[in-house]
Amino acid sequence: MLPETLVGDHTIYACVMGSRAFGLATEGSDTDRRGVFLAPTPLFWRFEKPPTHIEGPAEEQFSWELERFCELALRANPNILECLHSPLVEHADATGRELLSLREAFLSRRVHLTFTRYAHGQRRKLEADVRVHGAPRWKHAMHLLRLLTSARDLLRTGTLVIDVGERRAPLLAVKRGEVPWPEVESRMERLVEEGAEAARRSPLPEEPDRRRIEDFLLRTRRASALRADPHGEPARAAGQG
Protein backbone atom coordinates (compact mmCIF):
# COMPACT_ATOMS: atom_id res chain seq x y z
CA MET A 1 0.00 0.00 0.00
CA LEU A 2 1.44 3.36 -1.03
CA PRO A 3 2.25 5.90 1.70
CA GLU A 4 -0.10 8.47 0.18
CA THR A 5 -2.89 5.87 0.32
CA LEU A 6 -2.26 5.21 4.00
CA VAL A 7 -2.48 8.93 4.74
CA GLY A 8 -5.31 9.64 2.32
CA ASP A 9 -7.57 6.69 3.18
CA HIS A 10 -6.59 5.65 6.70
CA THR A 11 -6.03 8.86 8.67
CA ILE A 12 -7.95 8.76 11.93
CA TYR A 13 -6.85 12.14 13.29
CA ALA A 14 -5.49 15.29 11.67
CA CYS A 15 -4.73 18.71 13.08
CA VAL A 16 -2.84 21.93 12.48
CA MET A 17 0.26 22.50 14.61
CA GLY A 18 3.06 25.05 14.77
CA SER A 19 2.53 28.77 15.17
CA ARG A 20 -1.12 28.61 14.12
CA ALA A 21 -1.98 26.18 16.93
CA PHE A 22 0.16 28.08 19.43
CA GLY A 23 -1.58 31.37 18.71
CA LEU A 24 1.67 32.83 17.39
CA ALA A 25 0.93 32.96 13.67
CA THR A 26 1.82 36.08 11.75
CA GLU A 27 1.44 37.03 8.12
CA GLY A 28 3.22 34.43 6.03
CA SER A 29 3.27 31.70 8.71
CA ASP A 30 3.26 28.16 7.35
CA THR A 31 0.41 25.77 8.03
CA ASP A 32 1.95 22.68 9.63
CA ARG A 33 -0.34 19.67 9.44
CA ARG A 34 0.09 16.58 11.58
CA GLY A 35 -1.89 13.36 11.58
CA VAL A 36 -2.27 9.79 12.77
CA PHE A 37 -3.10 6.94 10.40
CA LEU A 38 -4.18 3.40 11.21
CA ALA A 39 -2.43 0.93 8.93
CA PRO A 40 -4.78 -2.02 8.16
CA THR A 41 -3.88 -4.94 10.41
CA PRO A 42 -3.24 -7.40 7.53
CA LEU A 43 -0.29 -5.26 6.45
CA PHE A 44 1.52 -6.32 9.63
CA TRP A 45 1.27 -9.99 8.62
CA ARG A 46 3.78 -9.47 5.82
CA PHE A 47 7.58 -9.43 5.99
CA GLU A 48 7.58 -5.79 4.94
CA LYS A 49 5.76 -3.82 7.62
CA PRO A 50 3.91 -0.55 7.06
CA PRO A 51 5.88 2.65 7.80
CA THR A 52 5.91 4.10 11.30
CA HIS A 53 5.64 7.61 9.88
CA ILE A 54 5.09 9.36 6.56
CA GLU A 55 6.19 12.79 5.41
CA GLY A 56 3.71 14.37 2.99
CA PRO A 57 2.10 13.98 0.57
CA ALA A 58 1.25 17.68 1.02
CA GLU A 59 3.84 20.29 1.98
CA GLU A 60 4.38 20.73 5.72
CA GLN A 61 2.48 17.48 6.39
CA PHE A 62 3.69 14.67 8.65
CA SER A 63 1.82 11.61 9.98
CA TRP A 64 2.52 8.77 12.38
CA GLU A 65 1.12 5.24 12.42
CA LEU A 66 -1.11 4.87 15.48
CA GLU A 67 1.14 2.47 17.39
CA ARG A 68 4.23 4.65 16.93
CA PHE A 69 2.24 7.71 17.91
CA CYS A 70 1.07 6.02 21.12
CA GLU A 71 4.60 4.84 21.94
CA LEU A 72 5.97 8.36 21.64
CA ALA A 73 3.08 9.85 23.60
CA LEU A 74 3.63 7.36 26.43
CA ARG A 75 7.24 8.55 26.55
CA ALA A 76 5.92 12.12 26.96
CA ASN A 77 7.40 13.30 23.66
CA PRO A 78 6.62 17.06 23.62
CA ASN A 79 5.71 17.25 19.93
CA ILE A 80 3.35 14.29 20.17
CA LEU A 81 1.59 15.43 23.34
CA GLU A 82 1.07 18.87 21.86
CA CYS A 83 -0.34 17.30 18.70
CA LEU A 84 -2.97 15.55 20.82
CA HIS A 85 -3.97 18.89 22.34
CA SER A 86 -4.12 21.05 19.23
CA PRO A 87 -7.09 23.43 19.25
CA LEU A 88 -7.20 23.17 15.44
CA VAL A 89 -8.55 19.68 14.70
CA GLU A 90 -9.27 19.13 11.00
CA HIS A 91 -10.41 15.50 11.07
CA ALA A 92 -11.25 12.83 13.63
CA ASP A 93 -13.19 9.67 12.85
CA ALA A 94 -14.58 7.38 15.57
CA THR A 95 -11.13 5.92 16.31
CA GLY A 96 -9.58 9.37 16.28
CA ARG A 97 -12.20 10.65 18.70
CA GLU A 98 -11.44 7.78 21.07
CA LEU A 99 -7.74 8.61 20.83
CA LEU A 100 -8.54 12.20 21.80
CA SER A 101 -10.65 10.98 24.70
CA LEU A 102 -7.52 9.24 26.03
CA ARG A 103 -5.36 12.37 26.05
CA GLU A 104 -5.15 12.53 29.82
CA ALA A 105 -4.06 8.88 30.02
CA PHE A 106 -0.80 9.81 28.28
CA LEU A 107 0.09 12.55 30.74
CA SER A 108 2.40 11.92 33.67
CA ARG A 109 5.26 13.51 35.58
CA ARG A 110 7.54 12.16 32.86
CA VAL A 111 6.83 15.40 31.02
CA HIS A 112 9.24 17.17 33.34
CA LEU A 113 12.17 15.04 32.21
CA THR A 114 11.31 14.95 28.51
CA PHE A 115 10.35 18.59 28.13
CA THR A 116 13.40 19.70 30.14
CA ARG A 117 15.74 17.46 28.17
CA TYR A 118 14.38 18.78 24.88
CA ALA A 119 14.62 22.37 26.14
CA HIS A 120 18.22 21.82 27.25
CA GLY A 121 19.18 20.65 23.77
CA GLN A 122 17.52 23.66 22.18
CA ARG A 123 19.16 26.01 24.67
CA ARG A 124 22.62 24.70 23.76
CA LYS A 125 21.93 25.39 20.08
CA LEU A 126 20.84 28.94 20.89
CA GLU A 127 23.97 29.52 22.95
CA ALA A 128 26.11 28.22 20.09
CA ASP A 129 24.42 30.72 17.75
CA VAL A 130 25.21 33.54 20.17
CA ARG A 131 28.88 32.54 20.33
CA VAL A 132 29.23 32.21 16.56
CA HIS A 133 26.87 34.89 15.24
CA GLY A 134 26.41 37.21 18.19
CA ALA A 135 22.69 36.49 18.46
CA PRO A 136 20.40 33.48 18.70
CA ARG A 137 17.78 32.48 16.19
CA TRP A 138 15.08 34.54 17.77
CA LYS A 139 12.20 32.44 16.48
CA HIS A 140 13.69 29.38 18.17
CA ALA A 141 14.21 31.35 21.37
CA MET A 142 10.54 32.34 21.33
CA HIS A 143 9.38 28.75 20.91
CA LEU A 144 11.69 27.56 23.69
CA LEU A 145 10.14 30.07 26.08
CA ARG A 146 6.72 28.90 24.97
CA LEU A 147 7.62 25.24 25.56
CA LEU A 148 9.08 25.87 29.02
CA THR A 149 5.99 27.84 30.01
CA SER A 150 3.70 25.11 28.70
CA ALA A 151 5.61 22.42 30.61
CA ARG A 152 5.53 24.41 33.85
CA ASP A 153 1.81 25.05 33.58
CA LEU A 154 1.09 21.42 32.71
CA LEU A 155 2.97 20.25 35.78
CA ARG A 156 1.14 22.78 37.93
CA THR A 157 -2.37 22.10 36.70
CA GLY A 158 -2.31 18.65 35.08
CA THR A 159 -3.74 20.21 31.89
CA LEU A 160 -1.83 20.85 28.67
CA VAL A 161 -2.82 24.10 26.94
CA ILE A 162 -0.75 24.99 23.90
CA ASP A 163 -2.35 28.28 22.82
CA VAL A 164 -0.24 31.01 24.43
CA GLY A 165 -3.20 33.35 24.92
CA GLU A 166 -2.20 36.62 26.59
CA ARG A 167 1.51 35.76 26.31
CA ARG A 168 1.37 36.25 22.53
CA ALA A 169 2.67 39.84 22.47
CA PRO A 170 5.69 39.27 24.77
CA LEU A 171 6.67 36.13 22.85
CA LEU A 172 6.42 37.84 19.47
CA ALA A 173 8.64 40.62 20.83
CA VAL A 174 11.28 37.95 21.46
CA LYS A 175 10.82 36.62 17.94
CA ARG A 176 11.46 40.11 16.54
CA GLY A 177 14.69 40.38 18.53
CA GLU A 178 13.36 43.20 20.69
CA VAL A 179 14.28 41.53 23.99
CA PRO A 180 18.00 41.39 24.92
CA TRP A 181 19.43 37.88 25.00
CA PRO A 182 20.48 38.11 28.70
CA GLU A 183 16.86 38.86 29.61
CA VAL A 184 15.64 35.93 27.50
CA GLU A 185 18.19 33.69 29.25
CA SER A 186 16.96 34.91 32.61
CA ARG A 187 13.37 34.06 31.68
CA MET A 188 14.42 30.58 30.58
CA GLU A 189 16.31 29.91 33.80
CA ARG A 190 13.35 31.09 35.89
CA LEU A 191 10.96 28.84 33.95
CA VAL A 192 13.26 25.84 34.44
CA GLU A 193 13.30 26.47 38.21
CA GLU A 194 9.54 26.93 38.32
CA GLY A 195 9.08 23.75 36.30
CA ALA A 196 11.21 21.76 38.73
CA GLU A 197 9.20 23.11 41.67
CA ALA A 198 5.94 22.30 39.89
CA ALA A 199 7.12 18.74 39.21
CA ARG A 200 7.56 18.12 42.93
CA ARG A 201 3.94 19.09 43.64
CA SER A 202 2.31 18.09 40.37
CA PRO A 203 -1.17 16.52 40.36
CA LEU A 204 -0.04 14.34 37.44
CA PRO A 205 0.55 10.62 38.12
CA GLU A 206 4.08 9.26 38.18
CA GLU A 207 3.46 7.15 35.06
CA PRO A 208 0.99 7.25 32.16
CA ASP A 209 -1.89 4.77 32.00
CA ARG A 210 -0.14 2.32 29.70
CA ARG A 211 -2.70 -0.46 30.20
CA ARG A 212 -5.56 1.76 29.09
CA ILE A 213 -3.70 2.85 25.98
CA GLU A 214 -2.68 -0.70 25.11
CA ASP A 215 -6.29 -1.87 25.45
CA PHE A 216 -7.32 0.83 22.97
CA LEU A 217 -4.61 -0.21 20.53
CA LEU A 218 -5.47 -3.92 20.75
CA ARG A 219 -9.18 -3.28 20.18
CA THR A 220 -8.40 -1.05 17.25
CA ARG A 221 -6.07 -3.60 15.65
CA ARG A 222 -8.62 -6.38 16.17
CA ALA A 223 -11.41 -4.36 14.57
CA SER A 224 -9.17 -3.59 11.59
CA ALA A 225 -8.35 -7.29 11.16
CA LEU A 226 -12.05 -8.13 10.95
CA ARG A 227 -12.58 -5.62 8.16
CA ALA A 228 -11.54 -6.10 4.55
CA ASP A 229 -7.84 -6.64 3.93
CA PRO A 230 -5.82 -4.21 1.76
CA HIS A 231 -6.96 -6.04 -1.39
CA GLY A 232 -10.62 -5.55 -0.55
CA GLU A 233 -11.33 -9.17 0.47
CA PRO A 234 -13.07 -9.82 3.78
CA ALA A 235 -10.86 -11.29 6.49
CA ARG A 236 -11.67 -14.95 7.12
CA ALA A 237 -12.68 -16.19 10.50
CA ALA A 238 -10.23 -18.43 12.36
CA GLY A 239 -10.47 -22.03 11.25
CA GLN A 240 -11.92 -21.34 7.83
CA GLY A 241 -10.09 -22.59 4.78
PDB file of all heavy atoms in Angstrom, residues 108-129:
ATOM      1  N   SER A 108       1.810  12.341  32.408  1.00  0.00           N
ATOM      2  CA  SER A 108       2.405  11.917  33.672  1.00  0.00           C
ATOM      3  C   SER A 108       3.541  12.873  34.023  1.00  0.00           C
ATOM      4  O   SER A 108       3.881  13.776  33.251  1.00  0.00           O
ATOM      5  CB  SER A 108       2.957  10.481  33.565  1.00  0.00           C
ATOM      6  OG  SER A 108       4.121  10.458  32.745  1.00  0.00           O
ATOM      7  N   ARG A 109       4.141  12.644  35.162  1.00  0.00           N
ATOM      8  CA  ARG A 109       5.258  13.506  35.577  1.00  0.00           C
ATOM      9  C   ARG A 109       6.492  13.301  34.696  1.00  0.00           C
ATOM     10  O   ARG A 109       7.472  14.041  34.837  1.00  0.00           O
ATOM     11  CB  ARG A 109       5.607  13.242  37.040  1.00  0.00           C
ATOM     12  CG  ARG A 109       4.504  13.658  37.994  1.00  0.00           C
ATOM     13  CD  ARG A 109       4.968  13.648  39.429  1.00  0.00           C
ATOM     14  NE  ARG A 109       3.868  13.934  40.343  1.00  0.00           N
ATOM     15  CZ  ARG A 109       4.015  14.140  41.645  1.00  0.00           C
ATOM     16  NH1 ARG A 109       5.227  14.085  42.182  1.00  0.00           N
ATOM     17  NH2 ARG A 109       2.963  14.395  42.401  1.00  0.00           N
ATOM     18  N   ARG A 110       6.445  12.334  33.809  1.00  0.00           N
ATOM     19  CA  ARG A 110       7.536  12.155  32.855  1.00  0.00           C
ATOM     20  C   ARG A 110       7.742  13.410  32.012  1.00  0.00           C
ATOM     21  O   ARG A 110       8.829  13.617  31.473  1.00  0.00           O
ATOM     22  CB  ARG A 110       7.232  10.980  31.916  1.00  0.00           C
ATOM     23  CG  ARG A 110       7.391   9.607  32.530  1.00  0.00           C
ATOM     24  CD  ARG A 110       7.261   8.559  31.450  1.00  0.00           C
ATOM     25  NE  ARG A 110       7.360   7.203  31.973  1.00  0.00           N
ATOM     26  CZ  ARG A 110       7.424   6.125  31.216  1.00  0.00           C
ATOM     27  NH1 ARG A 110       7.395   6.243  29.895  1.00  0.00           N
ATOM     28  NH2 ARG A 110       7.519   4.928  31.753  1.00  0.00           N
ATOM     29  N   VAL A 111       6.699  14.212  31.864  1.00  0.00           N
ATOM     30  CA  VAL A 111       6.828  15.399  31.020  1.00  0.00           C
ATOM     31  C   VAL A 111       7.939  16.312  31.531  1.00  0.00           C
ATOM     32  O   VAL A 111       8.569  17.019  30.737  1.00  0.00           O
ATOM     33  CB  VAL A 111       5.500  16.175  30.910  1.00  0.00           C
ATOM     34  CG1 VAL A 111       4.413  15.294  30.317  1.00  0.00           C
ATOM     35  CG2 VAL A 111       5.061  16.736  32.252  1.00  0.00           C
ATOM     36  N   HIS A 112       8.180  16.298  32.825  1.00  0.00           N
ATOM     37  CA  HIS A 112       9.242  17.170  33.342  1.00  0.00           C
ATOM     38  C   HIS A 112      10.594  16.779  32.757  1.00  0.00           C
ATOM     39  O   HIS A 112      11.355  17.638  32.282  1.00  0.00           O
ATOM     40  CB  HIS A 112       9.299  17.097  34.872  1.00  0.00           C
ATOM     41  CG  HIS A 112      10.378  17.963  35.455  1.00  0.00           C
ATOM     42  ND1 HIS A 112      11.383  17.454  36.241  1.00  0.00           N
ATOM     43  CD2 HIS A 112      10.624  19.294  35.319  1.00  0.00           C
ATOM     44  CE1 HIS A 112      12.193  18.434  36.586  1.00  0.00           C
ATOM     45  NE2 HIS A 112      11.752  19.560  36.051  1.00  0.00           N
ATOM     46  N   LEU A 113      10.889  15.499  32.740  1.00  0.00           N
ATOM     47  CA  LEU A 113      12.170  15.035  32.206  1.00  0.00           C
ATOM     48  C   LEU A 113      12.256  15.263  30.707  1.00  0.00           C
ATOM     49  O   LEU A 113      13.253  15.804  30.212  1.00  0.00           O
ATOM     50  CB  LEU A 113      12.361  13.549  32.512  1.00  0.00           C
ATOM     51  CG  LEU A 113      13.618  12.899  31.913  1.00  0.00           C
ATOM     52  CD1 LEU A 113      14.870  13.559  32.463  1.00  0.00           C
ATOM     53  CD2 LEU A 113      13.630  11.402  32.202  1.00  0.00           C
ATOM     54  N   THR A 114      11.223  14.873  29.970  1.00  0.00           N
ATOM     55  CA  THR A 114      11.310  14.946  28.512  1.00  0.00           C
ATOM     56  C   THR A 114      11.279  16.382  28.007  1.00  0.00           C
ATOM     57  O   THR A 114      12.059  16.748  27.119  1.00  0.00           O
ATOM     58  CB  THR A 114      10.174  14.148  27.852  1.00  0.00           C
ATOM     59  OG1 THR A 114       8.921  14.609  28.347  1.00  0.00           O
ATOM     60  CG2 THR A 114      10.319  12.663  28.146  1.00  0.00           C
ATOM     61  N   PHE A 115      10.404  17.196  28.558  1.00  0.00           N
ATOM     62  CA  PHE A 115      10.352  18.593  28.133  1.00  0.00           C
ATOM     63  C   PHE A 115      11.651  19.312  28.502  1.00  0.00           C
ATOM     64  O   PHE A 115      12.189  20.092  27.714  1.00  0.00           O
ATOM     65  CB  PHE A 115       9.160  19.307  28.765  1.00  0.00           C
ATOM     66  CG  PHE A 115       7.856  19.099  28.060  1.00  0.00           C
ATOM     67  CD1 PHE A 115       7.343  17.838  27.846  1.00  0.00           C
ATOM     68  CD2 PHE A 115       7.120  20.178  27.604  1.00  0.00           C
ATOM     69  CE1 PHE A 115       6.130  17.638  27.199  1.00  0.00           C
ATOM     70  CE2 PHE A 115       5.898  20.005  26.954  1.00  0.00           C
ATOM     71  CZ  PHE A 115       5.408  18.725  26.748  1.00  0.00           C
ATOM     72  N   THR A 116      12.161  19.046  29.701  1.00  0.00           N
ATOM     73  CA  THR A 116      13.396  19.698  30.145  1.00  0.00           C
ATOM     74  C   THR A 116      14.581  19.250  29.300  1.00  0.00           C
ATOM     75  O   THR A 116      15.435  20.067  28.934  1.00  0.00           O
ATOM     76  CB  THR A 116      13.659  19.397  31.627  1.00  0.00           C
ATOM     77  OG1 THR A 116      12.548  19.863  32.412  1.00  0.00           O
ATOM     78  CG2 THR A 116      14.932  20.079  32.104  1.00  0.00           C
ATOM     79  N   ARG A 117      14.643  17.967  28.991  1.00  0.00           N
ATOM     80  CA  ARG A 117      15.737  17.458  28.169  1.00  0.00           C
ATOM     81  C   ARG A 117      15.708  18.086  26.774  1.00  0.00           C
ATOM     82  O   ARG A 117      16.746  18.498  26.244  1.00  0.00           O
ATOM     83  CB  ARG A 117      15.639  15.935  28.067  1.00  0.00           C
ATOM     84  CG  ARG A 117      16.760  15.281  27.269  1.00  0.00           C
ATOM     85  CD  ARG A 117      16.491  13.802  27.123  1.00  0.00           C
ATOM     86  NE  ARG A 117      16.495  13.146  28.421  1.00  0.00           N
ATOM     87  CZ  ARG A 117      15.906  11.970  28.657  1.00  0.00           C
ATOM     88  NH1 ARG A 117      15.222  11.364  27.689  1.00  0.00           N
ATOM     89  NH2 ARG A 117      15.978  11.425  29.843  1.00  0.00           N
ATOM     90  N   TYR A 118      14.514  18.159  26.198  1.00  0.00           N
ATOM     91  CA  TYR A 118      14.381  18.779  24.884  1.00  0.00           C
ATOM     92  C   TYR A 118      14.777  20.252  24.948  1.00  0.00           C
ATOM     93  O   TYR A 118      15.495  20.761  24.080  1.00  0.00           O
ATOM     94  CB  TYR A 118      12.945  18.632  24.394  1.00  0.00           C
ATOM     95  CG  TYR A 118      12.681  19.248  23.039  1.00  0.00           C
ATOM     96  CD1 TYR A 118      13.008  18.559  21.872  1.00  0.00           C
ATOM     97  CD2 TYR A 118      12.117  20.517  22.922  1.00  0.00           C
ATOM     98  CE1 TYR A 118      12.763  19.118  20.618  1.00  0.00           C
ATOM     99  CE2 TYR A 118      11.881  21.085  21.685  1.00  0.00           C
ATOM    100  CZ  TYR A 118      12.200  20.380  20.537  1.00  0.00           C
ATOM    101  OH  TYR A 118      11.989  20.946  19.312  1.00  0.00           O
ATOM    102  N   ALA A 119      14.315  20.948  25.990  1.00  0.00           N
ATOM    103  CA  ALA A 119      14.621  22.367  26.141  1.00  0.00           C
ATOM    104  C   ALA A 119      16.123  22.587  26.311  1.00  0.00           C
ATOM    105  O   ALA A 119      16.684  23.552  25.783  1.00  0.00           O
ATOM    106  CB  ALA A 119      13.867  22.936  27.339  1.00  0.00           C
ATOM    107  N   HIS A 120      16.778  21.692  27.042  1.00  0.00           N
ATOM    108  CA  HIS A 120      18.223  21.822  27.251  1.00  0.00           C
ATOM    109  C   HIS A 120      18.964  21.727  25.923  1.00  0.00           C
ATOM    110  O   HIS A 120      19.889  22.511  25.657  1.00  0.00           O
ATOM    111  CB  HIS A 120      18.713  20.737  28.208  1.00  0.00           C
ATOM    112  CG  HIS A 120      20.189  20.791  28.484  1.00  0.00           C
ATOM    113  ND1 HIS A 120      20.776  21.826  29.171  1.00  0.00           N
ATOM    114  CD2 HIS A 120      21.198  19.945  28.137  1.00  0.00           C
ATOM    115  CE1 HIS A 120      22.082  21.618  29.256  1.00  0.00           C
ATOM    116  NE2 HIS A 120      22.359  20.485  28.635  1.00  0.00           N
ATOM    117  N   GLY A 121      18.553  20.786  25.077  1.00  0.00           N
ATOM    118  CA  GLY A 121      19.185  20.646  23.769  1.00  0.00           C
ATOM    119  C   GLY A 121      18.989  21.885  22.919  1.00  0.00           C
ATOM    120  O   GLY A 121      19.922  22.353  22.236  1.00  0.00           O
ATOM    121  N   GLN A 122      17.783  22.451  22.948  1.00  0.00           N
ATOM    122  CA  GLN A 122      17.516  23.661  22.179  1.00  0.00           C
ATOM    123  C   GLN A 122      18.286  24.859  22.732  1.00  0.00           C
ATOM    124  O   GLN A 122      18.786  25.701  21.971  1.00  0.00           O
ATOM    125  CB  GLN A 122      16.016  23.959  22.183  1.00  0.00           C
ATOM    126  CG  GLN A 122      15.156  22.922  21.482  1.00  0.00           C
ATOM    127  CD  GLN A 122      15.551  22.739  20.028  1.00  0.00           C
ATOM    128  OE1 GLN A 122      15.597  23.703  19.253  1.00  0.00           O
ATOM    129  NE2 GLN A 122      15.857  21.514  19.645  1.00  0.00           N
ATOM    130  N   ARG A 123      18.410  24.908  24.043  1.00  0.00           N
ATOM    131  CA  ARG A 123      19.161  26.008  24.674  1.00  0.00           C
ATOM    132  C   ARG A 123      20.627  25.972  24.249  1.00  0.00           C
ATOM    133  O   ARG A 123      21.235  27.020  23.965  1.00  0.00           O
ATOM    134  CB  ARG A 123      19.028  25.886  26.192  1.00  0.00           C
ATOM    135  CG  ARG A 123      19.868  26.870  27.000  1.00  0.00           C
ATOM    136  CD  ARG A 123      19.215  28.223  27.113  1.00  0.00           C
ATOM    137  NE  ARG A 123      19.994  29.102  27.981  1.00  0.00           N
ATOM    138  CZ  ARG A 123      19.828  29.191  29.297  1.00  0.00           C
ATOM    139  NH1 ARG A 123      18.890  28.467  29.898  1.00  0.00           N
ATOM    140  NH2 ARG A 123      20.567  30.023  29.998  1.00  0.00           N
ATOM    141  N   ARG A 124      21.208  24.813  24.180  1.00  0.00           N
ATOM    142  CA  ARG A 124      22.615  24.697  23.764  1.00  0.00           C
ATOM    143  C   ARG A 124      22.793  25.189  22.331  1.00  0.00           C
ATOM    144  O   ARG A 124      23.799  25.833  22.014  1.00  0.00           O
ATOM    145  CB  ARG A 124      23.085  23.242  23.896  1.00  0.00           C
ATOM    146  CG  ARG A 124      23.219  22.769  25.334  1.00  0.00           C
ATOM    147  CD  ARG A 124      23.593  21.310  25.416  1.00  0.00           C
ATOM    148  NE  ARG A 124      24.878  21.048  24.787  1.00  0.00           N
ATOM    149  CZ  ARG A 124      25.399  19.819  24.651  1.00  0.00           C
ATOM    150  NH1 ARG A 124      24.715  18.773  25.095  1.00  0.00           N
ATOM    151  NH2 ARG A 124      26.579  19.658  24.088  1.00  0.00           N
ATOM    152  N   LYS A 125      21.841  24.909  21.465  1.00  0.00           N
ATOM    153  CA  LYS A 125      21.926  25.395  20.083  1.00  0.00           C
ATOM    154  C   LYS A 125      21.840  26.916  20.033  1.00  0.00           C
ATOM    155  O   LYS A 125      22.559  27.565  19.260  1.00  0.00           O
ATOM    156  CB  LYS A 125      20.802  24.772  19.247  1.00  0.00           C
ATOM    157  CG  LYS A 125      20.933  23.272  19.038  1.00  0.00           C
ATOM    158  CD  LYS A 125      19.758  22.721  18.228  1.00  0.00           C
ATOM    159  CE  LYS A 125      19.863  21.222  18.045  1.00  0.00           C
ATOM    160  NZ  LYS A 125      18.702  20.660  17.306  1.00  0.00           N
ATOM    161  N   LEU A 126      20.967  27.488  20.851  1.00  0.00           N
ATOM    162  CA  LEU A 126      20.844  28.945  20.891  1.00  0.00           C
ATOM    163  C   LEU A 126      22.134  29.589  21.391  1.00  0.00           C
ATOM    164  O   LEU A 126      22.595  30.605  20.856  1.00  0.00           O
ATOM    165  CB  LEU A 126      19.671  29.345  21.791  1.00  0.00           C
ATOM    166  CG  LEU A 126      18.270  28.995  21.278  1.00  0.00           C
ATOM    167  CD1 LEU A 126      17.232  29.232  22.370  1.00  0.00           C
ATOM    168  CD2 LEU A 126      17.916  29.813  20.040  1.00  0.00           C
ATOM    169  N   GLU A 127      22.721  28.989  22.412  1.00  0.00           N
ATOM    170  CA  GLU A 127      23.971  29.522  22.954  1.00  0.00           C
ATOM    171  C   GLU A 127      25.102  29.431  21.933  1.00  0.00           C
ATOM    172  O   GLU A 127      25.958  30.327  21.857  1.00  0.00           O
ATOM    173  CB  GLU A 127      24.329  28.781  24.235  1.00  0.00           C
ATOM    174  CG  GLU A 127      23.378  29.086  25.388  1.00  0.00           C
ATOM    175  CD  GLU A 127      23.589  28.170  26.583  1.00  0.00           C
ATOM    176  OE1 GLU A 127      24.259  27.122  26.409  1.00  0.00           O
ATOM    177  OE2 GLU A 127      23.094  28.494  27.680  1.00  0.00           O
ATOM    178  N   ALA A 128      25.100  28.362  21.149  1.00  0.00           N
ATOM    179  CA  ALA A 128      26.107  28.224  20.091  1.00  0.00           C
ATOM    180  C   ALA A 128      25.933  29.319  19.042  1.00  0.00           C
ATOM    181  O   ALA A 128      26.917  29.885  18.549  1.00  0.00           O
ATOM    182  CB  ALA A 128      26.007  26.845  19.449  1.00  0.00           C
ATOM    183  N   ASP A 129      24.681  29.632  18.709  1.00  0.00           N
ATOM    184  CA  ASP A 129      24.421  30.717  17.752  1.00  0.00           C
ATOM    185  C   ASP A 129      24.935  32.055  18.283  1.00  0.00           C
ATOM    186  O   ASP A 129      25.484  32.867  17.529  1.00  0.00           O
ATOM    187  CB  ASP A 129      22.918  30.823  17.470  1.00  0.00           C
ATOM    188  CG  ASP A 129      22.405  29.693  16.595  1.00  0.00           C
ATOM    189  OD1 ASP A 129      23.214  29.095  15.865  1.00  0.00           O
ATOM    190  OD2 ASP A 129      21.198  29.408  16.646  1.00  0.00           O
TER     191      ASP A 129
END
